Amino acid sequence: MPGRTLPTILSSDVRSRNTTKSCYVTLGTKVFDVTPFLADHPGGGELIVQYGGKDVTEIMGDEISHTHSEAAYEILDDHLIGFVATEPVMKTAVKSDHPDSIIPLPPNQEGMQELKANGTAKGVASKNVYSTTGMSSAEDLSVETDLSADYRTHKFLDLNRPLLMQVWNGGFSKDFYLEQVHRPRHYKGGASAPLFGNFLEPLSKTPWWVIPIVWLPPVAYGTFLSFMNIPNTFAVAAYWFLGLGIWTLVEYVLHRCLFHVDHYLPDNRVGITLHFLLHGIHHYLPMDKLRLVMPPTMFIALATPFWKLAHTVFFYNWYAATAVFCGGIFGYVCYDLTHYFLHHRTLPSYYRELKRYHLQHHFADYENGFGVTSRFWDRVFGTELAMPIPKVVKAA
């Protein structure tokens, strides 16, 4: 199922949301549910309720009453819940030969051109916004987060302080944690936010080049031993490539069933903290350059059971088992480097498509698209990412 985008909301529904219990405001065609912000508004919640169900473009830009800062608009963006078709937009859609290109909002490229031709495009949102992440595109992943405003708005983690103990002591419910950890933030141009805040901090950071330096020598040595001790060269190659093929499935299973155990996550701080350390922090800060590849210590813990499994399955020949394992570890090295480059490098055409696919997993639909080095197992198991189906109009 594709990532769900924000709906088009009926104008009558928007107008009715003008109380302290449910307060919507609009900027052009964007609809914001500012109910949670009423208590925090510097001018008092009553001032916002006066404009409940109405467009606030003029009042927010009014220099006489109070010109709002860029931060105010960023806070609004955090409360975006959908789009509303204004009267000029509706009139254009009614007269159009292809009204479905305009409504539901946002319009497609053809619809936007028609709105511009009719002079009714002002204030009309032009991009889909994904409901689970609040983002529209891969570029949004690199838009720097206002750290203080983000904490005030979402009451989740303060990126100015070490994160681990905030997760441990936060008292977050599983549902709230999963909602927030999958809304990406961007910390200071891709730098690493503090995790431990003490001498353990360096252990949580791994430059990409550490992976080949640490793992390729033992892979080469194990492969060499296998060739030296198994007379049939083709048999060794077959075992090695079998391990490489097995890795592609392991990659998928680990990502889907361990890293994204989300729905089966225990609703307690132990489960939530372990999830955050294992993979949650990557979705929370996906462009962190030093937390994209797996620290060697963590990979040793994950790889040890597979070493034992290989030697259990291929019990009849230690060197055959080693060849299979080395092929798998080489696959892991390719996976980790690919993962890093998908986030931070300009790539050839095949990898550009893979990059678009993987980043969509971050900004659009984290519940699908678990393959990193290929889509093969996503296709096999029905979790391939797809662009969203047409949206429906949301009634009150």
Side-chain angles (χ1 to χ4, degrees):
M1 181 178 177
R4 187 172 68 85
T5 53
L6 296 181
T8 296
I9 303 172
L10 295 174
S11 57
S12 57
D13 189 10
V14 174
R15 288 194 298 270
S16 70
R17 306 300 180 120
N18 54 11
T19 69
T20 55
K21 292 183 179 180
S22 181
C23 186
Y24 291 2
V25 297
T26 65
L27 276 176
T29 59
K30 292 183 177 180
V31 181
F32 306 90
D33 182 357
V34 293
T35 313
F37 182 65
L38 295 178
D40 297 325
H41 185 246
E46 299 81 5
L47 186 60
I48 299 180
V49 173
Q50 289 180 28
Y51 295 92
K54 302 175 184 176
D55 189 276
V56 293
T57 302
E58 287 190 20
I59 190 63
M60 288 192 69
D62 188 349
E63 295 183 6
I64 297 176
S65 61
H66 175 60
T67 302
H68 288 75
S69 67
E70 197 66 35
Y73 289 92
E74 290 175 358
I75 291 172
L76 262 186
D77 282 339
D78 286 329
H79 294 284
L80 180 66
I81 60 165
F83 306 96
V84 63
T86 59
E87 187 176 346
V89 170
M90 286 299 296
K91 286 181 177 179
T92 304
V94 168
K95 295 177 182 177
S96 173
D97 293 331
H98 302 284
D100 58 330
S101 68
I102 300 174
I103 302 294
L105 295 173
N108 61 25
Q109 189 172 8
E110 179 188 344
M112 182 57 80
Q113 290 299 325
E114 191 165 351
L115 288 171
K116 287 179 179 178
N118 283 275
T120 54
K122 185 177 180 181
V124 176
S126 59
K127 292 182 178 180
N128 282 318
V129 177
Y130 294 91
S131 58
T132 54
T133 66
M135 293 189 165
S136 298
S137 66
E139 288 73 22
D140 291 342
L141 294 170
S142 297
V143 175
E144 191 154 321
T145 300
D146 183 322
L147 307 186
S148 299
D150 179 73
Y151 182 63
R152 285 198 309 270
T153 301
H154 295 289
K155 307 294 191 296
F156 182 47
L157 300 178
D158 182 354
L159 283 161
N160 289 303
R161 300 188 291 121
L163 301 176
L164 180 63
M165 295 312 295
Q166 292 186 70
V167 176
W168 179 258
N169 294 319
F172 307 126
S173 69
K174 180 179 77 170
D175 289 343
F176 176 76
Y177 163 77
L178 290 174
E179 174 192 326
Q180 289 298 318
V181 85
H182 289 113
R183 293 181 69 91
R185 275 73 164 182
H186 188 57
Y187 182 81
K188 297 182 178 179
S192 296
L195 180 61
F196 296 103
N198 56 32
F199 67 94
L200 293 173
E201 197 71 28
L203 297 178
S204 71
K205 302 175 183 178
T206 309
W208 69 267
W209 45 262
V210 168
I211 302 305
I213 288 176
V214 169
W215 296 115
L216 288 184
V219 165
Y221 180 65
T223 303
F224 171 77
L225 287 179
S226 299
F227 275 110
M228 289 296 97
N229 290 278
I230 298 177
N232 190 328
T233 299
F234 292 105
V236 177
Y239 282 126
W240 197 92
F241 281 103
L242 174 63
L244 181 60
I246 290 172
W247 164 259
T248 65
L249 178 59
V250 170
E251 171 195 315
Y252 176 88
V253 171
L254 285 177
H255 194 184
R256 182 180 182 181
C257 302
L258 180 62
F259 299 165
H260 281 276
V261 69
D262 304 349
H263 296 298
Y264 302 100
L265 189 67
D267 195 357
N268 58 55
R269 66 181 183 176
V270 175
I272 286 172
T273 303
L274 288 175
H275 180 278
F276 186 76
L277 289 173
L278 189 62
H279 197 60
I281 191 172
H282 174 54
H283 273 264
Y284 188 60
L285 296 162
M287 304 307 284
D288 183 336
K289 295 178 181 178
L290 296 179
R291 294 196 178 112
L292 265 170
V293 298
M294 195 174 294
T297 48
M298 182 182 292
F299 184 67
I300 288 173
L302 291 175
T304 299
F306 290 100
W307 168 264
K308 294 184 180 298
L309 179 62
H311 284 81
T312 299
V313 173
F314 299 94
F315 63 92
Y316 54 85
N317 191 317
W318 190 90
Y319 297 103
T322 299
V324 172
F325 186 75
C326 287
I329 298 302
F330 182 80
Y332 156 72
V333 172
C334 293
Y335 153 79
D336 239 356
L337 296 185
T338 299
H339 190 205
Y340 180 86
F341 294 142
L342 293 182
H343 278 261
H344 288 292
R345 290 289 187 271
T346 301
L347 300 165
S349 57
Y350 167 76
Y351 286 99
R352 282 200 297 271
E353 179 60 24
L354 205 57
K355 177 172 184 167
R356 186 198 67 80
Y357 183 75
H358 177 66
L359 294 184
Q360 191 180 333
H361 170 74
H362 282 282
F363 76 78
D365 184 6
Y366 66 87
E367 296 181 305
N368 289 294
F370 302 107
V372 173
T373 54
S374 82
R375 300 185 184 196
F376 178 76
W377 294 110
D378 277 322
R379 288 170 177 157
V380 170
F381 292 109
T383 55
E384 187 174 16
L385 282 165
M387 293 309 288
I389 57 176
K391 301 177 296 300
V392 297
V393 176
K394 178 185 174 185

